[in-house]
């Protein structure tokens, strides 16, 4: 596990894109996975810019979505699939070779979609680059507190913390969303490279606990301590509580 600290959000986003680009150059047919949420927006914009300028060739690359809310779909602003479409897929002038996205509005087909995601990852995987954020409760995707680390794609009740912060994705509206669908910890841990992005002082405490505390499913991100090729990529605010001897400072 490496902890890399960049001077600010923009530098962190560029560094993440550099790492993804190197993985694609190493294997132009690889499988990648990027998260939704606020933190990866800068990385996605940089990735799209490099695709559209010809620096990155996505035409052999496969993409798999990390997670989504049960009850809303690609047509709904605030869903993760809507985020992926608007921030990544639509702006790219050249498409991925193949992609898998959830549709959480197809509630009767959720179990089928989970099987399809598992099959997609088996077909093209393991995931070469798994980019993740970290929730305020330490979740990865929708792998919430108490998750079984052996699970693959699954459906899960949302924690109280996740439900409390969800309205920021829906213009301040509170929606009756109580479940998520997500890649499992087993698939994340099988990924060749995991990049955990965290930005802002509000993430400093949970980042500190996940990196320095015990490995426990009560704080799912702590399992990344056991990943053989994991990079925690932070800005200085998110790294503010970490001991200096743990971090690699870039361009301070």
């Amino acid at each position: 596990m490496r902890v890399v600290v960049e001077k600010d959000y923009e530098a962190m986003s560029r560094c993440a894109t550099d790492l993804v680009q190197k993985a694609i150059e190493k294997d132009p047919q690889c499988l990648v996975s990027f998260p939704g949420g606020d933190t990866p927006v800068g990385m996605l914009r940089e990735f799209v810019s490099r695709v559209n300028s010809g620096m990155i060739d996505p035409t052999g690359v496969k993409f798999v979505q990390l997670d989504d809310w049960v009850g809303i779909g690609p047509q709904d602003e605030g869903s993760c699939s809507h985020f992926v479409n608007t921030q990544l897929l639509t702006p790219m002038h050249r498409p991925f070779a193949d992609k898998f996205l959830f549709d959480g509005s197809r509630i009767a087909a959720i179990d089928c979609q989970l099987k399809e995601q598992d099959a997609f990852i088996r077909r093209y995987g393991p995931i070469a680059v798994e980019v993740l954020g970290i929730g305020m409760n330490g979740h990865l995707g929708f792998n919430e507190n108490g998750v079984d680390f052996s699970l693959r794609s699954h459906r899960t009740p949302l924690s109280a913390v996740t439900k409390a912060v969800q309205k920021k994705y829906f213009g301040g509206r509170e929606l009756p969303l109580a479940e998520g669908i997500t890649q499992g910890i087993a698939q994340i841990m099988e990924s060749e490279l995991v990049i955990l992005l965290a930005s802002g002082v509000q993430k400093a405490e949970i980042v500190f606990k996940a990196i320095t505390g015990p490995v426990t499913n009560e704080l799912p991100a702590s399992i990344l301590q056991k990943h053989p090729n994991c990079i925690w990529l932070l800005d200085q605010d998110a790294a503010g509580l970490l001991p200096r001897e743990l971090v690699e400072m870039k361009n301070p």
Side-chain angles (χ1 to χ4, degrees):
M1 181 181 69
R2 295 172 57 200
V3 181
V4 177
V5 180
E6 291 282 358
K7 64 179 180 179
D8 55 27
Y9 176 80
E10 290 74 19
M12 181 194 77
S13 299
R14 288 192 299 271
C15 182
T17 312
D18 290 343
L19 293 167
V20 174
Q21 181 174 343
K22 288 177 183 177
I24 292 173
E25 290 171 348
K26 179 181 177 181
D27 180 4
Q29 309 297 317
C30 69
L31 175 62
V32 301
S33 184
F34 306 152
D38 297 331
T39 305
V41 168
M43 185 207 78
L44 295 183
R45 289 177 179 165
E46 181 68 17
F47 183 87
V48 168
S49 175
R50 295 188 194 186
V51 167
N52 293 346
S53 69
M55 292 177 63
I56 295 176
D57 180 2
T59 55
V61 177
K62 293 79 177 177
F63 175 85
V64 62
Q65 186 177 343
L66 174 63
D67 61 357
D68 219 326
W69 312 88
V70 173
I72 57 176
Q75 70 281 359
D76 298 303
E77 187 171 353
S79 73
C80 300
S81 51
H82 183 275
F83 175 90
V84 168
N85 276 316
T86 56
Q87 297 290 332
L88 178 66
L89 301 180
T90 299
M92 286 171 53
H93 294 170
R94 291 182 293 169
F96 291 118
D98 201 358
K99 62 184 183 296
F100 177 88
L101 270 67
F102 286 123
D103 184 348
S105 67
R106 295 171 53 226
I107 296 176
I110 292 297
D111 289 343
C112 182
Q113 291 182 62
L114 293 170
K115 292 177 182 177
E116 290 172 358
Q117 187 185 67
D118 280 341
F120 189 90
I121 294 173
R122 285 196 304 270
R123 184 181 315 129
Y124 295 123
I127 297 168
V129 185
E130 179 86 72
V131 183
L132 301 168
I134 182 172
M136 295 301 294
N137 63 341
H139 72 198
L140 299 174
F142 281 138
N143 292 283
E144 299 278 28
N145 312 102
V147 65
D148 181 343
F149 284 157
S150 71
L151 289 177
R152 295 184 178 274
S153 303
H154 62 281
R155 178 175 183 164
T156 180
L158 299 176
S159 71
V161 173
T162 299
K163 287 190 283 189
V165 302
Q166 68 178 227
K167 64 182 180 180
K168 75 176 183 177
Y169 299 112
F170 309 113
R173 295 176 296 133
E174 291 191 16
L175 300 182
L177 303 176
E179 290 185 297
I181 40 182
T182 186
Q183 289 174 35
I185 295 294
Q187 290 152 321
I188 290 171
M189 293 299 287
E190 289 167 0
S191 301
E192 294 173 359
L193 170 64
V194 173
I195 304 169
L196 191 295
L197 300 178
S199 172
V201 67
Q202 74 279 3
K203 292 293 178 71
E205 183 175 359
I206 197 65
V207 164
F208 172 80
K209 290 179 178 178
I211 290 176
T212 66
V215 174
T216 169
N217 65 351
E218 290 304 318
L219 203 168
S222 65
I223 191 64
L224 296 180
Q225 294 179 34
K226 294 182 175 294
H227 194 281
N229 191 22
C230 174
I231 299 174
W232 287 76
L233 185 52
L234 315 171
D235 66 9
Q236 292 193 33
D237 286 338
L241 298 179
L242 293 173
R244 279 195 166 268
E245 61 268 21
L246 287 182
V247 306
E248 300 174 31
M249 297 293 295
K250 297 291 185 72
N251 303 314

